[in-house]
Amino acid sequence: MSQSDNRELLSDVGRICFKCFLMTMGVLLVWFAAFTQAGDWAWEFQSQWFNELSKPEFIQINYYGMTFLKLCAFLFFLFPCLAIKWQLKRNRPMNSA
């Protein structure tokens, strides 16, 4: 694999990671909007299955889940994307006149 193939592959992986980060943030926004708008209904629905689930526990589970998703998005998608972009920019070949 040549140097230009490696750069192209890294560039593609960086774009994929960024798109995955954006999609994960979209899922997080939808989750947050659904939780804030239909939280009571969701708790009532879930409490039918889990009889001992209190409303504070339900809220805590949702916030922990959103926090976990956000941390995973940053750790697995945004940070690798930034590292790839930084490496590609650092190793840019010099243009000759």
Side-chain angles (χ1 to χ4, degrees), residues 62-93:
N62 274 281
Y63 278 123
Y64 283 164
M66 286 187 263
T67 302
F68 178 73
L69 183 62
K70 186 187 281 188
L71 285 173
C72 287
F74 278 88
L75 184 65
F76 296 122
F77 299 130
L78 185 63
F79 292 156
C81 174
L82 293 176
I84 288 169
K85 298 289 183 188
W86 183 33
Q87 186 66 27
L88 288 174
K89 189 174 184 180
R90 198 171 137 218
N91 289 337
R92 185 180 321 159

Side-chain angles (χ1 to χ4, degrees), residues 10-72:
L10 279 177
S11 180
D12 289 343
V13 169
R15 281 194 297 272
I16 290 169
C17 283
F18 187 69
K19 288 177 184 177
C20 288
F21 174 75
L22 291 179
M23 287 189 295
T24 306
M25 287 294 115
V27 168
L28 189 61
L29 285 173
V30 169
W31 185 355
F32 181 75
F35 178 69
T36 56
Q37 298 302 312
D40 291 334
W41 175 83
W43 174 70
E44 289 172 8
F45 184 73
Q46 292 292 322
S47 64
Q48 292 173 1
W49 295 342
F50 307 105
N51 294 330
E52 297 178 11
L53 182 65
S54 68
K55 188 159 183 173
E57 289 172 334
F58 176 75
I59 292 170
Q60 188 176 23
I61 289 168
N62 274 281
Y63 278 123
Y64 283 164
M66 286 187 263
T67 302
F68 178 73
L69 183 62
K70 186 187 281 188
L71 285 173
C72 287

